Amino acid sequence: DSERLRARVKVLEQAEMTLEKQCEVSDRHRQHVERGGGRSLEEISQQLDRTRRENRQADVALEESRLRAQTLTEDVEGSRFAARNLQDVLRTVEDRCRELDAERMAALM
């Protein structure tokens, strides 16, 4: 029984030390706030509003960037299509030139 009693006393002493430390921390926090070290609710609210406003602005800028990227992608695709069409026209012209050269050579012989 005396062992159990000593163990119980030890547990209670540890619990008391833990509570004392928690009280000290709580007192330090209270003193810090009383000295004006903590930010007021209004300051925190203003900071939150600024952060939200900045986030909205960032969202708008991101969406604008996405739209610009989409437009540029469409422009590039259009340019590629036009380039392919010009290549086709060039091949057709080259083919026709070869045909005319062949006709001219045949006419000369």
Side-chain angles (χ1 to χ4, degrees):
D1 255 355
S2 64
E3 285 294 320
R4 288 165 98 194
L5 187 58
R6 272 184 246 161
R8 181 75 177 136
V9 167
K10 187 174 181 177
V11 168
L12 289 173
E13 286 173 346
Q14 289 174 343
E16 183 181 18
M17 286 177 25
T18 301
L19 286 173
E20 285 175 359
K21 288 179 184 177
Q22 288 176 344
C23 284
E24 289 173 10
V25 169
S26 180
D27 284 344
R28 282 197 305 271
H29 284 299
R30 182 184 47 75
Q31 289 170 0
H32 179 73
V33 170
E34 286 174 353
R35 286 191 307 265
R39 294 192 306 171
S40 70
L41 184 58
E42 184 175 335
E43 289 172 323
I44 293 169
S45 177
Q46 290 171 352
Q47 178 64 43
L48 183 60
D49 288 344
R50 281 191 297 272
T51 302
R52 285 181 177 150
R53 193 168 35 254
E54 290 167 0
N55 285 345
R56 281 192 299 272
Q57 291 170 347
D59 287 344
V60 168
L62 179 61
E63 185 59 28
E64 289 173 353
S65 294
R66 283 183 184 150
L67 290 174
R68 274 188 298 238
Q70 181 180 355
T71 300
L72 290 173
T73 300
E74 291 169 358
D75 289 348
V76 167
E77 289 171 358
S79 296
R80 285 182 183 154
F81 180 75
R84 281 192 298 273
N85 284 340
L86 287 175
Q87 286 175 337
D88 290 344
V89 168
L90 181 58
R91 275 193 291 276
T92 302
V93 168
E94 289 172 344
D95 290 346
R96 183 65 182 138
C97 286
R98 279 192 289 279
E99 289 172 6
L100 290 174
D101 282 343
E103 289 175 16
R104 187 171 44 94
M105 289 300 276
L108 290 174
M109 293 188 178

